[in-house]
mmCIF file with all atom_site columns, all heavy atoms in Angstrom:
data_model
loop_
_atom_site.group_PDB
_atom_site.id
_atom_site.type_symbol
_atom_site.label_atom_id
_atom_site.label_alt_id
_atom_site.label_comp_id
_atom_site.label_asym_id
_atom_site.label_entity_id
_atom_site.label_seq_id
_atom_site.pdbx_PDB_ins_code
_atom_site.Cartn_x
_atom_site.Cartn_y
_atom_site.Cartn_z
_atom_site.occupancy
_atom_site.B_iso_or_equiv
_atom_site.pdbx_formal_charge
_atom_site.auth_seq_id
_atom_site.auth_comp_id
_atom_site.auth_asym_id
_atom_site.auth_atom_id
_atom_site.pdbx_PDB_model_num
ATOM 1   N N   . PRO A 1 1  ? 186.531 233.149 162.448 1.00 98.00 ? 1  PRO A N   1
ATOM 2   C CA  . PRO A 1 1  ? 187.597 233.454 163.410 1.00 98.00 ? 1  PRO A CA  1
ATOM 3   C C   . PRO A 1 1  ? 188.961 233.702 162.784 1.00 98.00 ? 1  PRO A C   1
ATOM 4   O O   . PRO A 1 1  ? 189.815 234.361 163.390 1.00 98.00 ? 1  PRO A O   1
ATOM 5   C CB  . PRO A 1 1  ? 187.622 232.207 164.306 1.00 98.00 ? 1  PRO A CB  1
ATOM 6   C CG  . PRO A 1 1  ? 186.270 231.596 164.180 1.00 98.00 ? 1  PRO A CG  1
ATOM 7   C CD  . PRO A 1 1  ? 185.861 231.865 162.766 1.00 98.00 ? 1  PRO A CD  1
ATOM 8   N N   . ASP A 1 2  ? 189.195 233.182 161.586 1.00 98.00 ? 2  ASP A N   1
ATOM 9   C CA  . ASP A 1 2  ? 190.496 233.344 160.946 1.00 98.00 ? 2  ASP A CA  1
ATOM 10  C C   . ASP A 1 2  ? 190.595 234.600 160.074 1.00 98.00 ? 2  ASP A C   1
ATOM 11  O O   . ASP A 1 2  ? 191.657 234.873 159.505 1.00 98.00 ? 2  ASP A O   1
ATOM 12  C CB  . ASP A 1 2  ? 190.810 232.115 160.084 1.00 98.00 ? 2  ASP A CB  1
ATOM 13  C CG  . ASP A 1 2  ? 191.027 230.863 160.927 1.00 98.00 ? 2  ASP A CG  1
ATOM 14  O OD1 . ASP A 1 2  ? 191.492 231.005 162.070 1.00 98.00 ? 2  ASP A OD1 1
ATOM 15  O OD2 . ASP A 1 2  ? 190.720 229.759 160.441 1.00 98.00 ? 2  ASP A OD2 1
ATOM 16  N N   . LEU A 1 3  ? 189.501 235.344 159.954 1.00 98.00 ? 3  LEU A N   1
ATOM 17  C CA  . LEU A 1 3  ? 189.521 236.556 159.137 1.00 98.00 ? 3  LEU A CA  1
ATOM 18  C C   . LEU A 1 3  ? 190.152 237.707 159.912 1.00 98.00 ? 3  LEU A C   1
ATOM 19  O O   . LEU A 1 3  ? 189.977 237.844 161.125 1.00 98.00 ? 3  LEU A O   1
ATOM 20  C CB  . LEU A 1 3  ? 188.103 236.949 158.724 1.00 98.00 ? 3  LEU A CB  1
ATOM 21  C CG  . LEU A 1 3  ? 187.364 235.981 157.801 1.00 98.00 ? 3  LEU A CG  1
ATOM 22  C CD1 . LEU A 1 3  ? 185.931 236.459 157.589 1.00 98.00 ? 3  LEU A CD1 1
ATOM 23  C CD2 . LEU A 1 3  ? 188.080 235.834 156.464 1.00 98.00 ? 3  LEU A CD2 1
ATOM 24  N N   . LYS A 1 4  ? 190.859 238.567 159.194 1.00 98.00 ? 4  LYS A N   1
ATOM 25  C CA  . LYS A 1 4  ? 191.508 239.712 159.817 1.00 98.00 ? 4  LYS A CA  1
ATOM 26  C C   . LYS A 1 4  ? 190.487 240.794 160.172 1.00 98.00 ? 4  LYS A C   1
ATOM 27  O O   . LYS A 1 4  ? 189.417 240.877 159.559 1.00 98.00 ? 4  LYS A O   1
ATOM 28  C CB  . LYS A 1 4  ? 192.555 240.293 158.866 1.00 98.00 ? 4  LYS A CB  1
ATOM 29  C CG  . LYS A 1 4  ? 193.720 239.354 158.576 1.00 98.00 ? 4  LYS A CG  1
ATOM 30  C CD  . LYS A 1 4  ? 194.705 239.993 157.622 1.00 98.00 ? 4  LYS A CD  1
ATOM 31  C CE  . LYS A 1 4  ? 195.888 239.058 157.343 1.00 98.00 ? 4  LYS A CE  1
ATOM 32  N NZ  . LYS A 1 4  ? 196.858 239.657 156.399 1.00 98.00 ? 4  LYS A NZ  1
ATOM 33  N N   . PRO A 1 5  ? 190.804 241.639 161.151 1.00 98.00 ? 5  PRO A N   1
ATOM 34  C CA  . PRO A 1 5  ? 189.935 242.782 161.435 1.00 98.00 ? 5  PRO A CA  1
ATOM 35  C C   . PRO A 1 5  ? 189.758 243.640 160.176 1.00 98.00 ? 5  PRO A C   1
ATOM 36  O O   . PRO A 1 5  ? 190.675 243.772 159.373 1.00 98.00 ? 5  PRO A O   1
ATOM 37  C CB  . PRO A 1 5  ? 190.699 243.548 162.519 1.00 98.00 ? 5  PRO A CB  1
ATOM 38  C CG  . PRO A 1 5  ? 191.556 242.512 163.177 1.00 98.00 ? 5  PRO A CG  1
ATOM 39  C CD  . PRO A 1 5  ? 191.943 241.552 162.084 1.00 98.00 ? 5  PRO A CD  1
ATOM 40  N N   . GLY A 1 6  ? 188.565 244.200 160.022 1.00 98.00 ? 6  GLY A N   1
ATOM 41  C CA  . GLY A 1 6  ? 188.293 245.039 158.864 1.00 98.00 ? 6  GLY A CA  1
ATOM 42  C C   . GLY A 1 6  ? 187.920 244.276 157.614 1.00 98.00 ? 6  GLY A C   1
ATOM 43  O O   . GLY A 1 6  ? 187.788 244.871 156.540 1.00 98.00 ? 6  GLY A O   1
ATOM 44  N N   . SER A 1 7  ? 187.726 242.967 157.734 1.00 98.00 ? 7  SER A N   1
ATOM 45  C CA  . SER A 1 7  ? 187.379 242.168 156.561 1.00 98.00 ? 7  SER A CA  1
ATOM 46  C C   . SER A 1 7  ? 185.947 242.438 156.109 1.00 98.00 ? 7  SER A C   1
ATOM 47  O O   . SER A 1 7  ? 185.114 242.939 156.878 1.00 98.00 ? 7  SER A O   1
ATOM 48  C CB  . SER A 1 7  ? 187.556 240.679 156.857 1.00 98.00 ? 7  SER A CB  1
ATOM 49  O OG  . SER A 1 7  ? 188.926 240.347 156.988 1.00 98.00 ? 7  SER A OG  1
ATOM 50  N N   . LEU A 1 8  ? 185.683 242.098 154.855 1.00 98.00 ? 8  LEU A N   1
ATOM 51  C CA  . LEU A 1 8  ? 184.354 242.228 154.264 1.00 98.00 ? 8  LEU A CA  1
ATOM 52  C C   . LEU A 1 8  ? 183.706 240.859 154.225 1.00 98.00 ? 8  LEU A C   1
ATOM 53  O O   . LEU A 1 8  ? 184.245 239.926 153.624 1.00 98.00 ? 8  LEU A O   1
ATOM 54  C CB  . LEU A 1 8  ? 184.471 242.802 152.848 1.00 98.00 ? 8  LEU A CB  1
ATOM 55  C CG  . LEU A 1 8  ? 183.200 242.862 151.989 1.00 98.00 ? 8  LEU A CG  1
ATOM 56  C CD1 . LEU A 1 8  ? 182.152 243.764 152.623 1.00 98.00 ? 8  LEU A CD1 1
ATOM 57  C CD2 . LEU A 1 8  ? 183.545 243.352 150.574 1.00 98.00 ? 8  LEU A CD2 1
ATOM 58  N N   . VAL A 1 9  ? 182.548 240.718 154.872 1.00 98.00 ? 9  VAL A N   1
ATOM 59  C CA  . VAL A 1 9  ? 181.817 239.450 154.934 1.00 98.00 ? 9  VAL A CA  1
ATOM 60  C C   . VAL A 1 9  ? 180.506 239.635 154.177 1.00 98.00 ? 9  VAL A C   1
ATOM 61  O O   . VAL A 1 9  ? 179.724 240.538 154.485 1.00 98.00 ? 9  VAL A O   1
ATOM 62  C CB  . VAL A 1 9  ? 181.545 239.022 156.391 1.00 98.00 ? 9  VAL A CB  1
ATOM 63  C CG1 . VAL A 1 9  ? 180.820 237.675 156.428 1.00 98.00 ? 9  VAL A CG1 1
ATOM 64  C CG2 . VAL A 1 9  ? 182.851 238.942 157.178 1.00 98.00 ? 9  VAL A CG2 1
ATOM 65  N N   . ILE A 1 10 ? 180.269 238.774 153.187 1.00 97.00 ? 10 ILE A N   1
ATOM 66  C CA  . ILE A 1 10 ? 179.169 238.985 152.235 1.00 97.00 ? 10 ILE A CA  1
ATOM 67  C C   . ILE A 1 10 ? 178.225 237.794 152.227 1.00 97.00 ? 10 ILE A C   1
ATOM 68  O O   . ILE A 1 10 ? 178.652 236.646 152.113 1.00 97.00 ? 10 ILE A O   1
ATOM 69  C CB  . ILE A 1 10 ? 179.720 239.182 150.806 1.00 97.00 ? 10 ILE A CB  1
ATOM 70  C CG1 . ILE A 1 10 ? 180.774 240.278 150.771 1.00 97.00 ? 10 ILE A CG1 1
ATOM 71  C CG2 . ILE A 1 10 ? 178.585 239.486 149.835 1.00 97.00 ? 10 ILE A CG2 1
ATOM 72  C CD1 . ILE A 1 10 ? 181.628 240.264 149.514 1.00 97.00 ? 10 ILE A CD1 1
ATOM 73  N N   . ASN A 1 11 ? 176.942 238.076 152.332 1.00 96.00 ? 11 ASN A N   1
ATOM 74  C CA  . ASN A 1 11 ? 175.916 237.055 152.064 1.00 96.00 ? 11 ASN A CA  1
ATOM 75  C C   . ASN A 1 11 ? 175.520 237.163 150.603 1.00 96.00 ? 11 ASN A C   1
ATOM 76  O O   . ASN A 1 11 ? 174.765 238.050 150.211 1.00 96.00 ? 11 ASN A O   1
ATOM 77  C CB  . ASN A 1 11 ? 174.687 237.254 152.949 1.00 96.00 ? 11 ASN A CB  1
ATOM 78  C CG  . ASN A 1 11 ? 173.564 236.281 152.588 1.00 96.00 ? 11 ASN A CG  1
ATOM 79  O OD1 . ASN A 1 11 ? 173.801 235.225 151.992 1.00 96.00 ? 11 ASN A OD1 1
ATOM 80  N ND2 . ASN A 1 11 ? 172.338 236.629 152.941 1.00 96.00 ? 11 ASN A ND2 1
ATOM 81  N N   . ALA A 1 12 ? 176.046 236.239 149.791 1.00 94.00 ? 12 ALA A N   1
ATOM 82  C CA  . ALA A 1 12 ? 175.732 236.213 148.360 1.00 94.00 ? 12 ALA A CA  1
ATOM 83  C C   . ALA A 1 12 ? 174.956 234.950 148.010 1.00 94.00 ? 12 ALA A C   1
ATOM 84  O O   . ALA A 1 12 ? 175.049 234.446 146.895 1.00 94.00 ? 12 ALA A O   1
ATOM 85  C CB  . ALA A 1 12 ? 177.020 236.287 147.543 1.00 94.00 ? 12 ALA A CB  1
ATOM 86  N N   . THR A 1 13 ? 174.186 234.454 148.977 1.00 92.00 ? 13 THR A N   1
ATOM 87  C CA  . THR A 1 13 ? 173.506 233.169 148.796 1.00 92.00 ? 13 THR A CA  1
ATOM 88  C C   . THR A 1 13 ? 172.062 233.291 148.329 1.00 92.00 ? 13 THR A C   1
ATOM 89  O O   . THR A 1 13 ? 171.509 232.341 147.798 1.00 92.00 ? 13 THR A O   1
ATOM 90  C CB  . THR A 1 13 ? 173.494 232.378 150.107 1.00 92.00 ? 13 THR A CB  1
ATOM 91  O OG1 . THR A 1 13 ? 172.688 233.088 151.080 1.00 92.00 ? 13 THR A OG1 1
ATOM 92  C CG2 . THR A 1 13 ? 174.895 232.183 150.655 1.00 92.00 ? 13 THR A CG2 1
ATOM 93  N N   . GLY A 1 14 ? 171.415 234.430 148.566 1.00 81.00 ? 14 GLY A N   1
ATOM 94  C CA  . GLY A 1 14 ? 169.969 234.526 148.340 1.00 81.00 ? 14 GLY A CA  1
ATOM 95  C C   . GLY A 1 14 ? 169.167 234.140 149.569 1.00 81.00 ? 14 GLY A C   1
ATOM 96  O O   . GLY A 1 14 ? 167.961 234.398 149.630 1.00 81.00 ? 14 GLY A O   1
ATOM 97  N N   . LEU A 1 15 ? 169.824 233.537 150.575 1.00 80.00 ? 15 LEU A N   1
ATOM 98  C CA  . LEU A 1 15 ? 169.120 233.221 151.820 1.00 80.00 ? 15 LEU A CA  1
ATOM 99  C C   . LEU A 1 15 ? 168.678 234.518 152.498 1.00 80.00 ? 15 LEU A C   1
ATOM 100 O O   . LEU A 1 15 ? 169.470 235.444 152.668 1.00 80.00 ? 15 LEU A O   1
ATOM 101 C CB  . LEU A 1 15 ? 170.026 232.431 152.762 1.00 80.00 ? 15 LEU A CB  1
ATOM 102 C CG  . LEU A 1 15 ? 170.229 230.958 152.432 1.00 80.00 ? 15 LEU A CG  1
ATOM 103 C CD1 . LEU A 1 15 ? 171.318 230.354 153.318 1.00 80.00 ? 15 LEU A CD1 1
ATOM 104 C CD2 . LEU A 1 15 ? 168.925 230.186 152.603 1.00 80.00 ? 15 LEU A CD2 1
ATOM 105 N N   . GLY A 1 16 ? 167.415 234.561 152.879 1.00 66.00 ? 16 GLY A N   1
ATOM 106 C CA  . GLY A 1 16 ? 166.826 235.766 153.428 1.00 66.00 ? 16 GLY A CA  1
ATOM 107 C C   . GLY A 1 16 ? 165.940 236.457 152.416 1.00 66.00 ? 16 GLY A C   1
ATOM 108 O O   . GLY A 1 16 ? 165.083 237.256 152.773 1.00 66.00 ? 16 GLY A O   1
ATOM 109 N N   . LYS A 1 17 ? 166.135 236.144 151.117 1.00 70.00 ? 17 LYS A N   1
ATOM 110 C CA  . LYS A 1 17 ? 165.291 236.720 150.065 1.00 70.00 ? 17 LYS A CA  1
ATOM 111 C C   . LYS A 1 17 ? 164.540 235.618 149.331 1.00 70.00 ? 17 LYS A C   1
ATOM 112 O O   . LYS A 1 17 ? 163.335 235.489 149.451 1.00 70.00 ? 17 LYS A O   1
ATOM 113 C CB  . LYS A 1 17 ? 166.130 237.539 149.075 1.00 70.00 ? 17 LYS A CB  1
ATOM 114 C CG  . LYS A 1 17 ? 165.322 238.103 147.901 1.00 70.00 ? 17 LYS A CG  1
ATOM 115 C CD  . LYS A 1 17 ? 166.175 238.983 147.011 1.00 70.00 ? 17 LYS A CD  1
ATOM 116 C CE  . LYS A 1 17 ? 167.117 238.202 146.116 1.00 70.00 ? 17 LYS A CE  1
ATOM 117 N NZ  . LYS A 1 17 ? 166.407 237.536 144.990 1.00 70.00 ? 17 LYS A NZ  1
ATOM 118 N N   . ASP A 1 18 ? 165.265 234.814 148.561 1.00 67.00 ? 18 ASP A N   1
ATOM 119 C CA  . ASP A 1 18 ? 164.613 233.761 147.777 1.00 67.00 ? 18 ASP A CA  1
ATOM 120 C C   . ASP A 1 18 ? 164.040 232.669 148.672 1.00 67.00 ? 18 ASP A C   1
ATOM 121 O O   . ASP A 1 18 ? 162.985 232.112 148.397 1.00 67.00 ? 18 ASP A O   1
ATOM 122 C CB  . ASP A 1 18 ? 165.609 233.143 146.788 1.00 67.00 ? 18 ASP A CB  1
ATOM 123 C CG  . ASP A 1 18 ? 166.061 234.149 145.734 1.00 67.00 ? 18 ASP A CG  1
ATOM 124 O OD1 . ASP A 1 18 ? 165.294 235.097 145.462 1.00 67.00 ? 18 ASP A OD1 1
ATOM 125 O OD2 . ASP A 1 18 ? 167.161 233.993 145.185 1.00 67.00 ? 18 ASP A OD2 1
ATOM 126 N N   . VAL A 1 19 ? 164.769 232.341 149.719 1.00 77.00 ? 19 VAL A N   1
ATOM 127 C CA  . VAL A 1 19 ? 164.302 231.369 150.722 1.00 77.00 ? 19 VAL A CA  1
ATOM 128 C C   . VAL A 1 19 ? 164.689 231.903 152.096 1.00 77.00 ? 19 VAL A C   1
ATOM 129 O O   . VAL A 1 19 ? 165.647 232.668 152.223 1.00 77.00 ? 19 VAL A O   1
ATOM 130 C CB  . VAL A 1 19 ? 164.909 229.962 150.498 1.00 77.00 ? 19 VAL A CB  1
ATOM 131 C CG1 . VAL A 1 19 ? 164.385 229.342 149.215 1.00 77.00 ? 19 VAL A CG1 1
ATOM 132 C CG2 . VAL A 1 19 ? 166.423 230.013 150.471 1.00 77.00 ? 19 VAL A CG2 1
ATOM 133 N N   . PRO A 1 20 ? 163.952 231.514 153.143 1.00 83.00 ? 20 PRO A N   1
ATOM 134 C CA  . PRO A 1 20 ? 164.240 232.049 154.479 1.00 83.00 ? 20 PRO A CA  1
ATOM 135 C C   . PRO A 1 20 ? 165.586 231.574 155.008 1.00 83.00 ? 20 PRO A C   1
ATOM 136 O O   . PRO A 1 20 ? 166.117 230.545 154.589 1.00 83.00 ? 20 PRO A O   1
ATOM 137 C CB  . PRO A 1 20 ? 163.087 231.491 155.331 1.00 83.00 ? 20 PRO A CB  1
ATOM 138 C CG  . PRO A 1 20 ? 162.048 231.041 154.366 1.00 83.00 ? 20 PRO A CG  1
ATOM 139 C CD  . PRO A 1 20 ? 162.771 230.643 153.124 1.00 83.00 ? 20 PRO A CD  1
ATOM 140 N N   . GLY A 1 21 ? 166.115 232.336 155.958 1.00 91.00 ? 21 GLY A N   1
ATOM 141 C CA  . GLY A 1 21 ? 167.291 231.883 156.674 1.00 91.00 ? 21 GLY A CA  1
ATOM 142 C C   . GLY A 1 21 ? 168.519 232.727 156.469 1.00 91.00 ? 21 GLY A C   1
ATOM 143 O O   . GLY A 1 21 ? 168.488 233.804 155.869 1.00 91.00 ? 21 GLY A O   1
ATOM 144 N N   . SER A 1 22 ? 169.643 232.213 156.976 1.00 95.00 ? 22 SER A N   1
ATOM 145 C CA  . SER A 1 22 ? 170.945 232.866 156.897 1.00 95.00 ? 22 SER A CA  1
ATOM 146 C C   . SER A 1 22 ? 171.998 231.800 156.639 1.00 95.00 ? 22 SER A C   1
ATOM 147 O O   . SER A 1 22 ? 171.845 230.656 157.077 1.00 95.00 ? 22 SER A O   1
ATOM 148 C CB  . SER A 1 22 ? 171.266 233.597 158.204 1.00 95.00 ? 22 SER A CB  1
ATOM 149 O OG  . SER A 1 22 ? 172.635 233.979 158.256 1.00 95.00 ? 22 SER A OG  1
ATOM 150 N N   . PRO A 1 23 ? 173.095 232.160 155.979 1.00 96.00 ? 23 PRO A N   1
ATOM 151 C CA  . PRO A 1 23 ? 174.173 231.185 155.798 1.00 96.00 ? 23 PRO A CA  1
ATOM 152 C C   . PRO A 1 23 ? 175.049 231.020 157.030 1.00 96.00 ? 23 PRO A C   1
ATOM 153 O O   . PRO A 1 23 ? 176.017 230.253 157.002 1.00 96.00 ? 23 PRO A O   1
ATOM 154 C CB  . PRO A 1 23 ? 174.971 231.784 154.644 1.00 96.00 ? 23 PRO A CB  1
ATOM 155 C CG  . PRO A 1 23 ? 174.756 233.251 154.758 1.00 96.00 ? 23 PRO A CG  1
ATOM 156 C CD  . PRO A 1 23 ? 173.343 233.408 155.251 1.00 96.00 ? 23 PRO A CD  1
ATOM 157 N N   . LEU A 1 24 ? 174.739 231.748 158.110 1.00 97.00 ? 24 LEU A N   1
ATOM 158 C CA  . LEU A 1 24 ? 175.445 231.621 159.379 1.00 97.00 ? 24 LEU A CA  1
ATOM 159 C C   . LEU A 1 24 ? 174.487 231.160 160.470 1.00 97.00 ? 24 LEU A C   1
ATOM 160 O O   . LEU A 1 24 ? 173.279 231.387 160.379 1.00 97.00 ? 24 LEU A O   1
ATOM 161 C CB  . LEU A 1 24 ? 176.054 232.963 159.796 1.00 97.00 ? 24 LEU A CB  1
ATOM 162 C CG  . LEU A 1 24 ? 177.094 233.601 158.864 1.00 97.00 ? 24 LEU A CG  1
ATOM 163 C CD1 . LEU A 1 24 ? 177.453 234.999 159.371 1.00 97.00 ? 24 LEU A CD1 1
ATOM 164 C CD2 . LEU A 1 24 ? 178.332 232.736 158.739 1.00 97.00 ? 24 LEU A CD2 1
ATOM 165 N N   . THR A 1 25 ? 175.017 230.544 161.515 1.00 97.00 ? 25 THR A N   1
ATOM 166 C CA  . THR A 1 25 ? 174.194 230.245 162.681 1.00 97.00 ? 25 THR A CA  1
ATOM 167 C C   . THR A 1 25 ? 174.222 231.453 163.618 1.00 97.00 ? 25 THR A C   1
ATOM 168 O O   . THR A 1 25 ? 175.039 232.373 163.466 1.00 97.00 ? 25 THR A O   1
ATOM 169 C CB  . THR A 1 25 ? 174.715 229.011 163.446 1.00 97.00 ? 25 THR A CB  1
ATOM 170 O OG1 . THR A 1 25 ? 175.896 229.370 164.179 1.00 97.00 ? 25 THR A OG1 1
ATOM 171 C CG2 . THR A 1 25 ? 175.025 227.856 162.485 1.00 97.00 ? 25 THR A CG2 1
ATOM 172 N N   . ASP A 1 26 ? 173.366 231.435 164.616 1.00 97.00 ? 26 ASP A N   1
ATOM 173 C CA  . ASP A 1 26 ? 173.344 232.537 165.582 1.00 97.00 ? 26 ASP A CA  1
ATOM 174 C C   . ASP A 1 26 ? 174.575 232.543 166.477 1.00 97.00 ? 26 ASP A C   1
ATOM 175 O O   . ASP A 1 26 ? 174.810 233.507 167.209 1.00 97.00 ? 26 ASP A O   1
ATOM 176 C CB  . ASP A 1 26 ? 172.082 232.444 166.440 1.00 97.00 ? 26 ASP A CB  1
ATOM 177 C CG  . ASP A 1 26 ? 170.826 232.820 165.668 1.00 97.00 ? 26 ASP A CG  1
ATOM 178 O OD1 . ASP A 1 26 ? 170.947 233.502 164.629 1.00 97.00 ? 26 ASP A OD1 1
ATOM 179 O OD2 . ASP A 1 26 ? 169.722 232.416 166.094 1.00 97.00 ? 26 ASP A OD2 1
ATOM 180 N N   . ALA A 1 27 ? 175.373 231.479 166.419 1.00 97.00 ? 27 ALA A N   1
ATOM 181 C CA  . ALA A 1 27 ? 176.599 231.417 167.216 1.00 97.00 ? 27 ALA A CA  1
ATOM 182 C C   . ALA A 1 27 ? 177.780 232.067 166.501 1.00 97.00 ? 27 ALA A C   1
ATOM 183 O O   . ALA A 1 27 ? 178.852 232.229 167.100 1.00 97.00 ? 27 ALA A O   1
ATOM 184 C CB  . ALA A 1 27 ? 176.942 229.966 167.541 1.00 97.00 ? 27 ALA A CB  1
ATOM 185 N N   . ALA A 1 28 ? 177.613 232.467 165.255 1.00 98.00 ? 28 ALA A N   1
ATOM 186 C CA  . ALA A 1 28 ? 178.711 233.053 164.485 1.00 98.00 ? 28 ALA A CA  1
ATOM 187 C C   . ALA A 1 28 ? 179.176 234.366 165.106 1.00 98.00 ? 28 ALA A C   1
ATOM 188 O O   . ALA A 1 28 ? 178.364 235.157 165.590 1.00 98.00 ? 28 ALA A O   1
ATOM 189 C CB  . ALA A 1 28 ? 178.273 233.279 163.045 1.00 98.00 ? 28 ALA A CB  1
ATOM 190 N N   . VAL A 1 29 ? 180.493 234.602 165.053 1.00 98.00 ? 29 VAL A N   1
ATOM 191 C CA  . VAL A 1 29 ? 181.078 235.846 165.573 1.00 98.00 ? 29 VAL A CA  1
ATOM 192 C C   . VAL A 1 29 ? 181.844 236.523 164.448 1.00 98.00 ? 29 VAL A C   1
ATOM 193 O O   . VAL A 1 29 ? 182.795 235.965 163.895 1.00 98.00 ? 29 VAL A O   1
ATOM 194 C CB  . VAL A 1 29 ? 182.023 235.576 166.757 1.00 98.00 ? 29 VAL A CB  1
ATOM 195 C CG1 . VAL A 1 29 ? 182.635 236.888 167.256 1.00 98.00 ? 29 VAL A CG1 1
ATOM 196 C CG2 . VAL A 1 29 ? 181.277 234.875 167.884 1.00 98.00 ? 29 VAL A CG2 1
#
């Protein structure tokens, strides 16, 4: 919520590839 419009949000965790899941919940906006 504190990020400015046009920001770049990156999944650099390996979640979704090395192990299942996401670093965000489904409630994330």
Side-chain angles (χ1 to χ4, degrees):
D2 293 330
L3 295 175
K4 295 180 179 179
S7 290
L8 173 62
V9 182
I10 307 164
N11 175 22
T13 65
L15 283 171
K17 177 176 76 74
D18 295 334
V19 293
S22 167
L24 299 173
T25 75
D26 288 340
V29 179

